[in-house]
Amino acid sequence: MRRVRVSVVIPTYNRRDLLPRAVESAAARITGDDEIIVVDDGSTDGTADAIRNDSRVTLIETENRGPAAARNAAIEVATGRFLAFLDSDDAWYPTGLDEQVEALDKDDSLGLSHAEAMNEVLPGAATTPRARPTREGDVLATLLRRNFVTTSTAVVPRRVLDQVGRFDESLDRSMDWDLWLRIAERYRFHFLRRTVALYRFHADQQIRDRESVDDCRQRILRKALARLEARDDPLVPVTRRYLAYRLLRLGRQRLAAGKRDEAGESFRAAADVRWTARFTAWRYRWTVSGGRPCAG
């Protein structure tokens, strides 16, 4: 039986026109010891048909359950010692994978390798550098503040995923950040200072529902805080500060949308996490009310 080195995980939904390019870019970057797994997450535009006859690809078709479930479905059938993630609207450059795998293979203290990426705004805009800070080693403190790992550059050893778990399917957004945090709590990160992926940004990736985004992010930080508190980690205070900030943002989004009761719940939750948040919450209420104090 062939021993697989890297399993490339490509989730897709309604990307018939872009998926073949992603697959071609993956095929150009891997070796004969690697595999490509595409999970079609219930597409309605014939996405799976675009690569159905491609012998280089293992195709899995599922009902629509979201990108976390699609990635998890690929992980379950993957046989590689390493998992490399590529979104179907992105593309890889034919460089860097061997170096990322080698770094992870040589050092068991590393739980994830990531690299630089470039932005391409569709349709037809020029490619620009993707703004990400260089972060390697013990990155947890920085990662708690915001996600700096571009998913389409990430490579993770299978043994690490078996230890920290899979993508959280209850999250509609930012499920990659949640997984990276769980990895960073146990392992160091490797960073390759080379551009390995093209991150494609287009109209249907616009974040229209800021409330949903902020809600997912505060849930992720709540999970992280619970884990850190359980082991009396010194990062508990800074995690509380970041969580309070996310809850205040969520409350502001709800207040602006006229959801006063739900906004009050978010503001109270922020104050419970960090008492100084009550002053910021009061300021938000005052601003939205046009200078009149709001109840709650």
Side-chain angles (χ1 to χ4, degrees):
M1 182 177 179
R2 179 170 71 99
R3 187 184 183 195
V4 176
R5 183 187 67 150
V6 177
S7 297
V8 183
V9 172
I10 307 178
T12 188
Y13 175 73
N14 285 352
R15 294 288 188 232
R16 181 184 178 95
D17 294 336
L18 293 175
L19 176 60
R21 181 185 179 185
V23 169
E24 286 297 331
S25 74
R29 194 181 184 216
I30 64 177
T31 72
D33 294 325
D34 304 326
E35 66 182 359
I36 301 172
I37 304 171
V38 173
V39 180
D40 182 14
D41 185 38
S43 294
T44 58
D45 69 344
T47 291
D49 294 334
I51 50 96
R52 190 179 302 280
N53 297 322
D54 192 330
S55 61
R56 301 168 297 181
V57 174
T58 297
L59 174 63
I60 301 171
E61 297 178 77
T62 67
E63 62 182 12
N64 181 242
R65 295 190 297 141
R71 292 190 183 107
N72 286 343
I75 292 169
E76 289 307 309
V77 302
T79 57
R81 292 187 299 120
F82 302 93
L83 284 296
F85 298 97
L86 174 61
D87 287 346
S88 62
D89 49 351
D90 296 342
W92 276 346
Y93 295 114
T95 184
L97 183 60
D98 291 344
E99 294 169 76
Q100 291 183 269
V101 169
E102 181 181 0
L104 293 169
D105 210 16
K106 287 168 54 177
D107 189 347
D108 288 343
S109 73
L110 296 174
L112 180 146
S113 175
H114 65 117
E116 295 177 349
M118 297 287 284
N119 272 349
E120 183 183 45
V121 183
L122 296 179
T127 301
T128 58
R130 181 159 172 76
R132 295 292 189 191
T134 299
R135 293 291 182 262
E136 57 190 339
D138 182 358
V139 302
L140 181 56
T142 306
L143 192 62
L144 282 164
R145 184 173 184 178
R146 70 182 183 94
N147 183 18
F148 54 78
V149 177
T150 302
T151 300
S152 290
T153 74
V155 182
V156 181
R158 176 62 182 250
R159 60 177 173 79
V160 171
L161 290 177
D162 289 342
Q163 183 178 34
V164 306
R166 306 294 192 251
F167 291 93
D168 185 344
E169 298 180 18
S170 73
L171 295 169
D172 296 327
R173 306 174 189 270
S174 301
M175 65 287 296
D176 52 347
W177 184 35
D178 173 69
L179 179 56
W180 310 155
L181 282 169
R182 283 182 274 137
I183 295 174
E185 288 166 19
R186 297 170 180 258
Y187 294 95
R188 297 164 55 244
F189 280 21
H190 168 261
F191 181 76
L192 180 65
R193 291 171 177 80
R194 183 182 301 182
T195 301
V196 305
L198 183 66
Y199 179 85
R200 309 187 77 178
F201 184 87
H202 41 96
D204 65 0
Q205 286 179 308
Q206 297 279 356
I207 298 178
R208 299 182 178 89
D209 188 354
R210 293 300 317 182
E211 180 182 340
S212 175
V213 172
D214 289 329
D215 183 47
C216 280
R217 289 175 179 171
Q218 68 88 14
R219 288 168 57 197
I220 289 167
L221 284 175
R222 278 192 183 280
K223 291 172 58 181
L225 178 61
R227 294 191 299 267
L228 295 173
E229 287 180 332
R231 67 187 200 197
D232 197 24
D233 194 284
L235 287 175
V236 166
V238 72
T239 307
R240 285 182 169 274
R241 177 157 57 93
Y242 294 151
L243 174 56
Y245 166 75
R246 294 293 180 183
L247 285 164
L248 287 169
R249 281 179 56 96
L250 178 60
R252 184 171 60 181
Q253 294 292 338
R254 289 172 168 173
L255 196 61
K259 302 176 181 178
R260 298 171 65 86
D261 291 343
E262 293 179 35
E265 292 175 5
S266 298
F267 291 147
R268 286 190 291 273
D272 288 342
V273 170
R274 195 164 187 257
W275 71 271
T276 55
R278 68 186 64 185
F279 302 112
T280 305
W282 185 88
R283 187 171 70 250
Y284 286 165
R285 292 189 180 103
W286 181 273
T287 301
V288 171
S289 67
R292 298 184 306 278
C294 295

